[in-house]
């Protein structure tokens, strides 16, 4: 009788467990991307590991470690600068960056970063801001940049820069 009761209890436990995956209700998306034709595409939180990638990238900038920057750039990186300049490819990006670093000796201090995923896109975005201290004509100058950074396969694929002078 004990064995029958134990067998019945174990059977009840095994068969009462649900084995099919349930669709998780994500609820309304906390953000969206609006396409040129007016379609809203949901945007949600993305992998926080993207933030570590961006932090390493900015540390390389502060250390003027162009080898690390190059290794983190996607082969077909696109950089859209605040002044309308568009750079295509890692070599063009590094050439401009080296000249900028030499002329202005900037330091970058990140004050926010957030990672998001837009439904249907292959990579994730990091929306980030940093203050830049640089020397211009012998005087220290402060700027603030906000950037949209697209990361694909743990590489920086696109950077869109918005700038404000402080």
């Amino acid at each position: 009788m004990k064995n029958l009761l134990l067998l019945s209890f174990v059977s009840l436990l095994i068969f009462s467990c649900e084995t099919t995956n349930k669709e998780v209700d994500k609820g309304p998306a906390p953000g969206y991307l609006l396409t040129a034709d007016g379609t809203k595409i949901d945007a949600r939180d993305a992998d926080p590991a993207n933030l570590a990638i961006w932090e390493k990238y900015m540390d390389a900038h502060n250390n003027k470690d162009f080898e690390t920057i190059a290794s983190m750039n996607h082969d077909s990186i696109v950089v859209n600068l605040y002044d309308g300049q568009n750079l295509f490819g890692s070599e063009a990006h590094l050439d401009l960056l080296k000249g900028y670093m030499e002329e202005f000796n900037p330091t970058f201090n990140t004050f926010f970063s957030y990672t998001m995923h837009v439904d249907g896109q292959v990579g994730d975005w990091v929306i980030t801001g940093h203050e830049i201290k640089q020397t211009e004509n012998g005087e220290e100058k402060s700027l603030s940049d906000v950037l949209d950074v697209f990361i694909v396969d743990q590489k920086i694929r696109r950077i869109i820069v918005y700038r404000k002078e402080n």
Side-chain angles (χ1 to χ4, degrees):
M1 185 69 178
K2 278 184 175 180
N3 287 340
L4 184 59
L5 189 56
L6 182 60
L7 182 62
S8 297
F9 179 70
V10 170
S11 297
L12 179 67
L13 281 176
I14 290 172
F15 292 112
S16 68
C17 295
E18 190 170 329
T19 58
T20 59
N21 291 335
K22 283 187 174 181
E23 178 72 24
V24 176
D25 180 21
K26 296 179 186 176
Y32 62 87
L33 174 70
L34 191 63
T35 64
D37 68 1
T39 304
K40 282 186 179 178
I41 302 172
D42 288 347
R44 302 183 182 278
D45 293 343
D47 187 349
N50 293 319
L51 301 177
I53 292 168
W54 183 250
E55 288 167 2
K56 180 179 177 183
Y57 195 70
M58 292 314 299
D59 285 345
H61 279 67
N62 282 328
N63 294 323
K64 296 174 181 54
D65 182 354
F66 299 108
E67 187 176 314
T68 297
I69 294 168
S71 74
M72 295 181 74
N73 279 349
H74 193 279
D75 291 339
S76 56
I77 186 171
V78 175
V79 181
N80 306 109
L81 295 172
Y82 61 93
D83 63 0
Q85 243 184 119
N86 297 305
L87 307 172
F88 300 95
S90 189
E91 188 176 324
H93 173 236
L94 290 169
D95 286 346
L96 184 91
L97 189 58
K98 287 175 184 178
Y100 172 68
M101 297 280 205
E102 188 176 307
E103 184 175 352
F104 296 105
N105 193 32
T107 56
F108 302 88
N109 298 303
T110 301
F111 57 86
F112 83 92
S113 282
Y114 172 77
T115 186
M116 70 175 206
H117 178 77
V118 176
D119 288 355
Q121 290 186 340
V122 176
D124 293 326
W125 290 91
V126 171
I127 294 77
T128 186
H130 53 247
E131 181 183 26
I132 303 168
K133 299 281 188 190
Q134 65 184 36
T135 305
E136 194 170 320
N137 299 321
E139 293 183 29
E140 188 172 279
K141 188 173 186 177
S142 174
L143 308 164
S144 293
D145 282 354
V146 173
L147 302 96
D148 295 327
V149 179
F150 192 53
I151 298 175
V152 176
D153 298 328
Q154 301 181 337
K155 300 271 188 173
I156 308 300
R157 174 65 178 85
R158 184 173 185 192
I159 302 172
I160 305 169
V161 182
Y162 310 92
R163 176 164 285 176
K164 172 185 144 302
E165 291 191 27
N166 297 329

